Amino acid sequence: MSRRPRKDVPAQGVPRPTVSVCRGCCCGTEKIPGVDHAAQLTRLRSGLEGAATVRAVECLDACEQGNVIVVQPSAEGRRAGGRPVWLGLVNDEHAEQDIITWASAGGPGLADPPDILDLYAFQPSRRVRAGLDG
């Protein structure tokens, strides 16, 4: 019998939502002017350190909404009914701070987002949504 720890056992502790930040063909580039894209990613990572996983991902195929950020629930949040929330036109620090506040409180399924994020929420096609999970 092996004494190695099992890799499939989730760590105990605070549930961690995942914040996926599009950095593909349009988001995160000069095609979205007036935004310091590197600083945006740094602020999200810094603000969510220990509270959420922040990852830069390839193009999410919702370029008309750039910059796109998807807040995915933790396993606990998903069990509570939370689903990924797609946010578009996230091009200012106020929206970033609202995302940090919400994800730090648990994210989808565990905490209500600040009302202002309703203005950023959009529903991508089923094909695009499947690409994030796939």
Side-chain angles (χ1 to χ4, degrees):
M1 185 160 117
S2 173
R3 297 273 181 204
R4 289 181 289 164
R6 289 182 47 175
K7 291 182 182 177
D8 59 339
V9 176
Q12 298 297 317
V14 179
R16 293 173 54 106
T18 299
V19 177
S20 299
V21 182
C22 185
R23 286 298 180 255
C25 70
C26 296
C27 297
T29 72
E30 63 279 352
K31 291 181 183 178
I32 311 287
V35 178
D36 184 340
H37 302 286
Q40 180 184 56
L41 189 56
T42 298
R43 284 189 298 270
L44 288 166
R45 285 184 169 148
S46 175
L48 289 167
E49 187 173 348
T53 301
V54 178
R55 62 187 187 144
V57 297
E58 291 298 317
C59 184
L60 292 172
D61 202 18
C63 298
E64 68 282 356
Q65 296 288 334
N67 283 331
V68 175
I69 294 178
V70 182
V71 182
Q72 298 168 268
S74 62
E76 183 180 337
R78 189 167 284 279
R79 284 190 297 274
R83 296 294 174 258
V85 176
W86 288 66
L87 303 167
L89 305 173
V90 181
N91 299 321
D92 65 82
E93 292 182 40
H94 298 292
E96 295 166 21
Q97 189 56 53
D98 288 332
I99 293 167
I100 290 168
T101 299
W102 178 38
S104 294
L110 299 180
D112 290 330
D115 290 339
I116 193 74
L117 288 182
D118 288 347
L119 298 174
Y120 295 87
F122 73 99
Q123 192 67 17
S125 70
R126 193 173 323 157
R127 177 188 59 79
V128 170
R129 287 191 315 264
L132 183 62
D133 292 330

